[in-house]
Amino acid sequence: MEDWAEVQRLHHREGLTKAAIARRLGMSRTTVIRLLASREPPRYVRPPRGSLVDPYADEIAAMLETEPDAPATVICERLRRSGYPGGISILKEHLARVRPGFLAARAFQRTSYLPGEVGQLDWWHSGVMVPVGKGATREAFGLVLTLPHSGAHAAVFTLGRTLADLRVALVGCLERLGGVPEKLVHDNDASIVATGAGKRARLHPEVSALLGQLQTKAVPLPPRTPTSKGQVERTIGYLETSFLPLRSFVSLADLQAQHDDWATEVAFGRTLRRTGARVADRHLVERGFLHRLPEPVPDTDLQLEARAGKDAFVRVLSADYSVPPAFVGRRIGIRVTPDTVRLSCEGHRIAEHRRSFVRADVVLDPAHGRAIRLAREARDRLAEQEPEAPAVDLARYDALFEVPA
């Protein structure tokens, strides 16, 4: 998945030829052609075979941490002292995969950026509690994306920080900013990173697929380095001190609307000291350097599958949603959007509910409720009509087996 995403980015964003991509990524030109021919993210990636380099991956990472440009010959010489039995060719292939992450992380520690070069991404714990119905409230989280060159930002608010929330919020931020930067710098949040951290981070396949469709690249930062994404950290501080005070919100949609209006009227209208220009003016220029969002916009809905229970309900993200009783025990396809939960069976939609954010909630379609009651009544009537089994005289078994009285 990550190879596909990087090949798409290098070809479409940087304009590299197939041969140049093959040299940079250490793969065959045939592989590059195959990955470019696939416009959709791969569904399955064969697990990589073990390599003689694998046991020395941490030692190599430590060397690159100190000197990202260290030559392969020097690294190979150091590894020989530790017992490395492999050749320099497979070592170079390994370095071609991991070295760019070390170089990128160092590059993004500087404080000036070209327009459209980078976006910094982070989740904001807003502390705002919004009602979600039935007397319950949930904290609103904001995914904040800042363009350091112009200082422009976008925020999309959700009621969670899951992978599904990230996908929807990231596309929403890019739509508000008018395009996609070359790279996205982020920390090692569980909604983005599946395993590892920093240079050893492995993204969720769904995140890699989305980044490939957007033709941008993720740059996971080393743990405990908030200054490496200082622009978005300052944006979050600005939101806390300039947007939240003296405001109240009746819903998540109200929070989103108030923020978007405030960002247009206030945040983009201010002049930044470090640039000496209005954010709106710098952003207008930077938009010309951003990559256009693909059309259509990538599908960000969460797709699941579950079996309908005997009570004609399906559990989706801590809430139960009703299905027609005819589908009890069947496998149900689930598509979750920010507002709805759509249920289908064998490709045919069977129900659509408004999404609930109340924990342990029960969402019942009135039509389903009537059908469930009718099914129960029919079952009860059938049970009442079943004839009783005639009594059996057990004495005849005693006689058959000559059991003495």
Side-chain angles (χ1 to χ4, degrees):
M1 185 71 74
E2 292 181 359
D3 287 342
W4 175 86
E6 182 65 358
V7 167
Q8 296 290 331
R9 187 188 71 83
L10 291 174
H11 183 70
H12 296 289
R13 289 298 298 272
E14 297 191 13
L16 296 187
T17 64
K18 299 178 182 66
I21 294 173
R23 288 194 298 272
R24 178 176 292 192
L25 300 183
M27 60 177 61
S28 70
R29 191 170 180 271
T30 303
T31 301
V32 174
I33 293 172
R34 177 172 55 81
L35 292 175
L36 283 175
S38 174
R39 301 303 300 170
E40 295 294 327
R43 299 294 180 185
Y44 172 76
V45 177
R46 185 180 300 278
R49 296 181 179 179
S51 167
L52 293 174
V53 179
D54 290 347
Y56 303 89
D58 290 342
E59 189 172 348
I60 294 170
M63 288 187 243
L64 294 177
E65 185 78 48
T66 303
E67 186 54 62
D69 296 315
T73 52
V74 175
I75 294 176
C76 187
E77 178 186 347
R78 298 290 181 89
L79 293 180
R80 296 283 189 210
R81 301 173 189 172
S82 301
Y84 169 61
I88 194 168
S89 295
I90 59 172
L91 176 60
K92 286 182 177 180
E93 292 177 0
H94 177 79
L95 291 173
R97 289 194 301 271
V98 302
R99 193 192 298 272
F102 291 85
L103 293 170
R106 171 169 290 188
F108 288 118
Q109 293 176 4
R110 66 182 187 273
T111 57
S112 62
Y113 303 90
L114 297 174
E117 179 185 9
V118 62
Q120 295 182 359
L121 194 67
D122 201 7
W123 282 107
W124 173 33
H125 292 256
S126 72
V128 175
M129 305 300 293
V130 296
V132 293
K134 301 183 179 180
T137 60
R138 293 277 295 270
E139 181 182 4
F141 299 95
L143 186 71
V144 181
L145 176 56
T146 299
L147 301 177
H149 172 78
S150 62
H153 85 278
V156 172
F157 295 92
T158 67
L159 294 174
R161 294 190 304 142
T162 66
L163 170 61
D165 297 312
L166 173 90
R167 285 164 56 86
V168 173
L170 176 56
V171 172
C173 285
L174 295 173
E175 288 177 322
R176 286 167 170 78
L177 290 171
V180 186
E182 292 181 11
K183 297 177 177 66
L184 291 172
V185 176
H186 59 86
D187 58 17
N188 299 280
D189 190 87
S191 63
I192 306 175
V193 174
T195 60
K199 288 88 174 175
R200 301 176 185 85
R202 299 285 293 181
L203 306 185
H204 290 291
E206 296 86 348
V207 176
S208 291
L210 178 60
L211 295 179
Q213 291 173 301
L214 295 171
Q215 297 178 14
T216 186
K217 181 178 182 178
V219 182
L221 293 170
R224 297 176 296 278
T225 56
T227 55
S228 298
K229 51 180 177 60
Q231 293 292 335
V232 71
E233 297 283 350
R234 283 190 285 275
T235 298
I236 290 174
Y238 176 58
L239 289 168
E240 291 176 344
T241 58
S242 300
F243 168 63
L244 286 185
L246 302 178
R247 289 180 183 269
S248 60
F249 311 97
V250 298
S251 66
L252 187 70
D254 181 37
L255 170 60
Q256 186 70 65
Q258 288 196 44
H259 168 270
D260 291 347
D261 290 343
W262 170 85
T264 301
E265 298 171 3
V266 179
F268 277 49
R270 76 194 194 279
T271 298
L272 294 182
R273 183 183 305 173
R274 66 180 178 85
T275 64
R278 286 198 324 143
V279 172
D281 296 334
R282 298 264 295 188
H283 180 235
L284 182 63
V285 173
E286 186 165 23
R287 285 188 64 159
F289 292 85
L290 297 175
H291 183 64
R292 288 192 303 176
L293 282 158
E295 296 180 1
V297 174
D299 183 3
T300 58
D301 294 347
L302 174 64
Q303 299 185 53
L304 307 168
E305 189 176 74
R307 191 176 298 278
K310 295 180 179 180
D311 57 356
F313 282 88
V314 175
R315 174 67 54 83
V316 183
L317 301 177
S318 80
D320 292 330
Y321 297 84
S322 67
V323 298
F327 294 92
V328 165
R330 304 280 295 276
R331 298 295 298 182
I332 305 299
I334 304 165
R335 179 178 283 268
V336 183
T337 77
D339 303 312
T340 62
V341 173
R342 300 188 180 104
L343 307 176
S344 62
C345 185
E346 297 181 355
H348 300 286
R349 186 177 300 181
I350 61 174
E352 182 170 330
H353 298 278
R354 185 169 182 80
R355 183 176 173 186
S356 174
F357 294 93
V358 179
R359 291 183 177 88
D361 196 10
V362 176
V363 183
L364 175 63
D365 185 315
H368 297 166
R370 289 191 294 270
I372 292 170
R373 285 191 293 271
L374 289 173
R376 288 175 179 171
E377 292 171 0
R379 183 185 59 199
D380 293 342
R381 285 195 302 270
L382 183 62
E384 292 173 357
Q385 294 171 2
E386 289 182 356
E388 293 186 8
V392 178
D393 182 6
L394 299 180
R396 65 180 181 175
Y397 292 102
D398 295 340
L400 181 64
F401 292 101
E402 298 180 354
V403 177

